[in-house]
Amino acid sequence: MIKKLIVKGSFILALLALASCSKNQARITNINIGTHSNNELKIQIDVTTSDNVQVYAEYWSEKKGIKNKISSPISKTGLSHSLVLCNITPETNYNFQLITIQDKQKDSSKVYNFKSRSLPEWLQKQFKANCPKPELLPENFKKGFMLLAKRETPGVAYIVDYKGNLRWYHTVEGTGFKVTHFTKDQTIISILGKNDEPTSYGSEILEINLQGDTLTHIKKGQADFKQTIHHEIIKKSTNEIVTITVDQKIMDLTSIGGKKNDTINGDGILIMDKKGKQLWKWSVFDDLDPLKDKSLLKTKKDWTHANSLNYDKDGNFLISFYNNGQIWKVDSKTGKVIWKLGKDGNIKMAAESNFSQAHAAHINQDGSLMFFDNGVDKKQSSVFALKLDEEGKTAKLDFHINLPKDIYNDRMGSAYMIDKDAILVCCSKRHITVLTNKKGVLLWALESEIPPYRVQFIPEEKMKPFLLN
């Protein structure tokens, strides 16, 4: 029989036996239940067994019933097991069973129940969704999720659904989530920074899984991680982290009225392993001569201001710059700049394709170069998708969506395709994220208490088994 049942912390619940059916109760000696890392949307069940077995939990809300049960990840073989249950709804009654595995034989425990607690007040009413006609929304959007983050301390990474419900969160003390990115490894990798560091700049890298466990945490000063990082953090592989750095160059600027040993803040690309060892680097100074910039004395503190980094289909880099209004393609092996798109670039563009400041440049599902245009020159933000002919050095407009002028967003922002005709657009400074079709008709909007740097859409299939709708 089960010898001991413990309720962790101040969890207001009792573990009640609802059914009995198991041989394995002789092997379960202790169950301890509470929140995981004091997170109300993650329940932790610690299980002790008398034999070396694997354990997992099957759980379901009483409202949805056992046909909608979810399984936790399976523990390693041993005597002590910590199971984390995600996809928890606040103030909801749940049932669960523990399944033990020994020599491929599965046995089930009795059924127990608990009630989840309400979200803390500071997490309530953070998001408000507005959707007058839900039937017009794509099904994959209604089933999917969105990742956004609070940049000020204490930092919070949020995952919400289309109804504006908070479905997952993770907090950090002393820093904010300056930039976040959901990876193909089902992890969230981020740049952390303090309040006195600029908007999207930081000095720490944190990677967590969806159970909230830390996988990687490195700080500036460790190994080859010597530079301030900013605006982008992605993964090339499981052990390779890619980011944008502040790359400084000391130059004699007396010829233009500056100092003999003047500092210019440019940008670089850095690839590190998870311990901070440098694997590859590139600098904007490898291609550009600062002295050719007539405004250098005014721009030297933030000369080019790179604001997004991604991989093209061929494995080379796409990097966008706010200050020069360009997007570059950079060879990821040699560091050679392949082309420059935008103001004074070497890709020929029609007048209808002109943009001012690009953010979140990437290759979309149709193979087009897509980005959010702040539209500072026209005081109207928009979304661009361009078909590039790299051999012919030309760009043809695929589609262009002008956003309503009342959500004009002069800094930050993002735009990602949800399906063939729906685009998720983040207007950071307006605290609003919208879903629009290619005609510019707004289908849905999410107001947030925080100004997210960008909002990333995550399809439901990429969140299984941790989050489900």
Side-chain angles (χ1 to χ4, degrees), residues 31 42 74 128 184 193 204 241 250 260 267 271 298 326 340 345 350 354 362 365 380 386 401 421 442 449 460-462:
I31 300 174
K42 299 188 187 80
I74 301 172
K128 180 182 178 181
K184 61 182 180 181
E204 300 181 30
I241 298 168
I250 308 299
K260 185 172 181 60
D267 297 295
I271 303 179
K298 294 181 180 180
Q326 292 183 345
K340 298 178 182 181
N354 288 336
H362 67 284
Q365 63 189 41
Q380 183 175 16
L386 305 176
I401 305 168
D421 191 49
L442 302 189
E449 287 295 311
E460 184 186 38
E461 58 268 21
K462 293 187 178 181

Side-chain angles (χ1 to χ4, degrees), residues 163-174:
K163 294 180 180 180
N165 297 316
L166 180 61
R167 303 293 299 276
W168 182 99
Y169 69 94
H170 186 89
T171 59
V172 289
E173 295 294 334

Side-chain angles (χ1 to χ4, degrees), residues 307 319-328 339-345 347 349-359 361 369-378 380-386 388 395 397 400:
N307 59 31
I319 182 168
S320 60
F321 300 93
Y322 187 89
N323 285 352
N324 65 14
Q326 292 183 345
I327 300 170
W328 293 7
W339 50 251
K340 298 178 182 181
L341 175 75
K343 297 175 183 177
D344 302 318
I347 297 285
M349 299 167 53
E352 62 183 3
S353 299
N354 288 336
F355 60 94
S356 49
Q357 282 83 19
H359 270 90
L369 174 65
M370 184 168 163
F371 53 89
F372 177 85
D373 177 28
N374 294 109
V376 175
D377 53 350
K378 299 176 182 179
Q380 183 175 16
S381 301
S382 64
V383 179
F384 276 97
L386 305 176
L388 298 183
L397 184 66
H400 179 219

Side-chain angles (χ1 to χ4, degrees), residues 72-120:
S72 75
I74 301 172
S75 71
K76 294 180 180 179
T77 300
L79 302 175
S80 298
H81 317 266
S82 287
L83 311 176
V84 178
L85 314 188
C86 298
N87 207 55
I88 298 297
T89 301
E91 299 182 271
T92 300
N93 292 314
Y94 284 89
N95 297 326
F96 74 92
Q97 281 183 294
L98 297 174
I99 315 298
T100 59
I101 307 173
Q102 187 177 46
D103 298 326
K104 298 182 179 181
Q105 177 67 39
K106 292 184 178 181
D107 288 309
S108 303
S109 75
K110 297 177 180 180
V111 175
Y112 299 98
N113 71 1
F114 64 85
K115 183 177 181 180
S116 58
R117 298 188 300 199
S118 61
L119 285 170

Side-chain angles (χ1 to χ4, degrees), residues 232 292 422:
E232 195 64 86
K292 291 183 179 180

Side-chain angles (χ1 to χ4, degrees), residues 3 7 9 35 82 108 114 124 126 138 181 187 204 212 223 270 274 286 292 295 301 328 403:
K3 294 181 179 178
V7 177
T35 56
S82 287
S108 303
F114 64 85
Q124 296 179 18
Q126 290 287 303
H181 184 80
T187 66
E204 300 181 30
L270 177 63
K274 287 190 172 185
D286 296 341
K292 291 183 179 180
S295 303
K301 291 184 179 180
W328 293 7
L403 298 171

